[in-house]
Amino acid sequence: SNNSLAAATAQAVAQSPGKIYNPLFFYSGVGLGKTHLINAIGNHIVSHNPQLKVLYTSAEQFTNEFVESLRSNQQQQFRDKFRNVDVLLIDDIHFIVNKEGIQEELFQTMDSLRRTDHQIVISSDCPPRQMNAVMNRLRSRFEWGMIADIQPPDFETRVAILSQKATSLEISIPDEVLEYIASEFHSNIRELEGALIRVITYCNIYKLELTASSATQALESLLDHSKDKKIDVELIKKVVCEYFNISEDDLVGPRREQRVVRPRQLAMYLCKELIPGASYPEIGAYFGGRDHTTVIHAYRKVETNLNEIFYKTSLNNLRERLK
């Protein structure tokens, strides 16, 4: 449910390329499905509109081909390849950071496609606003259409992913094992599935029954023992910033946009909830020297909205990351 926006925008673009959300910009951390999602868009378009020309490329491949075109004096062939398509899918766009020549070429490519109502879909590990080493007019193009983030799956979804993986492997795994793995690996799908494979392999090699206990043994060397971490204000701020893809300067600074205010309120709420003895004035001091009444307001704001999907999902995921 926390990725319904990304799924809905992907489906809309796949069904009507070039008509809505152009460009469509996805961002997320590693291993959460950016590449999967943009390829799903491309596959759907190819399947339902075979007359359309769809091109998938990574930003690294785009860069390499551009450099080669300069070396071989074949810039026009390069431009024809990337501009004469109906749908251009570009993965890992953050690769072009600090590469001015590539940024200029990409800007011109996007402008050419946009003028002819051809669809552009982009993925990145961060939102455009955090791409400080990208020229402003290109960053504005990224922000022109629709920006959707892909969030880590919640606990129930992680269990479902593991269950589906076990089914595909034709292995029956007890719920307690799936739930144990899901409770320990929460930020990366690759790690989640890798942990499942490790448990299965470990139990096969050592002839052990698949139980939560044997899973604990199998994963001992992979776990960061996060449950032993001391939760303090700095850790909470770090986790909140990573989860919402904002900087600590934004979190503690004066900015009042919703994308910053709500994470700040959640961070203050978690400080009060998870740090024994933390007072409102002490918490305020850690958030840019804010008055204690501001912290009280933030706490009450979250407390009264605990059943709203944003606050409920965010708090569940943040608490799991802080374990």
Side-chain angles (χ1 to χ4, degrees):
S1 60
N2 55 334
N3 282 322
S4 56
L5 176 63
T9 53
Q11 289 171 342
V13 165
Q15 292 165 6
S16 303
K19 306 298 183 185
I20 187 173
Y21 307 139
N22 195 16
L24 176 57
F25 190 107
F26 293 115
Y27 71 92
S28 77
V30 174
L32 293 179
K34 299 186 298 293
T35 300
H36 172 91
L37 197 54
I38 67 173
N39 275 283
I41 292 171
N43 288 334
H44 186 280
I45 294 171
V46 168
S47 174
H48 291 77
N49 296 280
Q51 76 280 7
L52 298 183
K53 188 175 181 181
V54 180
L55 176 61
Y56 167 87
T57 185
S58 67
E60 181 179 11
Q61 182 180 346
F62 184 90
T63 299
N64 292 341
E65 292 194 33
F66 176 66
V67 171
E68 180 57 32
S69 74
L70 295 177
R71 185 179 296 118
S72 58
N73 196 29
Q74 294 183 328
Q75 294 98 310
Q76 190 56 49
Q77 290 92 321
F78 171 86
R79 287 166 184 157
D80 288 344
K81 175 180 178 178
F82 288 97
R83 299 183 191 184
N84 294 332
V85 296
D86 297 292
V87 181
L88 179 61
L89 312 167
I90 308 179
D91 206 3
D92 294 331
I93 201 68
H94 48 272
F95 184 82
I96 67 167
V97 167
N98 291 318
K99 298 179 175 68
E100 292 184 7
I102 300 299
Q103 291 178 29
E104 178 62 34
E105 185 63 31
L106 180 61
F107 173 82
Q108 297 298 337
T109 297
M110 290 183 66
D111 254 20
S112 176
L113 292 169
R114 190 75 163 70
R115 283 196 301 271
T116 53
D117 292 327
H118 290 168
Q119 182 68 50
I120 306 159
V121 183
I122 298 168
S123 82
S124 175
D125 66 357
C126 63
R129 66 176 179 271
Q130 290 186 9
M131 302 176 76
N132 297 324
V134 170
M135 59 187 192
N136 289 334
R137 62 178 183 161
L138 178 58
R139 190 162 62 239
S140 73
R141 291 297 185 274
F142 294 161
E143 297 173 333
W144 206 347
M146 177 67 187
I147 301 173
D149 65 328
I150 302 174
Q151 293 288 344
D154 57 23
F155 177 77
E156 290 77 13
T157 305
R158 295 199 301 276
V159 172
I161 290 170
L162 290 170
S163 179
Q164 186 178 57
K165 183 70 173 179
T167 299
S168 72
L169 295 171
E170 298 183 346
I171 297 175
S172 177
I173 299 180
D175 289 344
E176 66 170 8
V177 174
L178 300 179
E179 291 171 1
Y180 171 72
I181 297 173
S183 70
E184 293 290 354
F185 295 85
H186 45 73
S187 61
N188 187 311
I189 306 303
R190 294 172 195 158
E191 289 182 354
L192 184 69
E193 294 189 344
L196 177 64
I197 298 298
R198 182 181 174 92
V199 169
I200 294 169
T201 303
Y202 184 91
C203 291
N204 283 339
I205 290 173
Y206 291 101
K207 312 298 182 188
L208 298 174
E209 184 181 353
L210 278 165
T211 64
S213 177
S214 60
T216 303
Q217 295 176 41
L219 299 174
E220 178 67 25
S221 62
L222 298 183
L223 299 178
D224 61 5
H225 300 287
S226 58
K227 292 182 176 63
D228 299 330
K229 288 188 297 189
K230 177 185 176 183
I231 297 178
D232 57 20
V233 177
E234 293 306 320
L235 177 61
I236 290 173
K237 290 197 293 186
K238 178 176 181 293
V239 169
V240 169
C241 287
E242 289 176 351
Y243 181 76
F244 287 105
N245 282 300
I246 61 175
S247 68
E248 185 170 332
D249 287 342
D250 285 340
L251 187 70
V252 304
R255 304 186 71 161
R256 299 294 302 167
E257 300 97 317
Q258 279 286 85
R259 70 175 188 86
V260 174
V261 170
R262 295 202 294 184
R264 185 185 297 139
Q265 291 170 342
L266 286 165
M268 291 178 176
Y269 179 87
L270 288 168
C271 287
K272 187 62 180 173
E273 287 287 295
L274 301 179
I275 303 174
S279 67
Y280 291 119
E282 289 171 341
I283 295 171
Y286 280 103
F287 286 84
R290 285 177 162 77
D291 187 82
H292 73 283
T293 57
T294 302
V295 184
I296 293 172
H297 171 76
Y299 184 89
R300 289 176 177 169
K301 176 70 174 179
V302 176
E303 184 76 11
T304 56
N305 289 283
L306 287 177
N307 290 324
E308 286 191 12
I309 186 65
F310 170 82
Y311 289 99
K312 184 177 181 179
T313 301
S314 298
L315 277 175
N316 286 341
N317 290 329
L318 287 169
R319 285 189 175 116
E320 287 183 9
R321 290 186 176 204
L322 286 163
K323 284 181 180 179

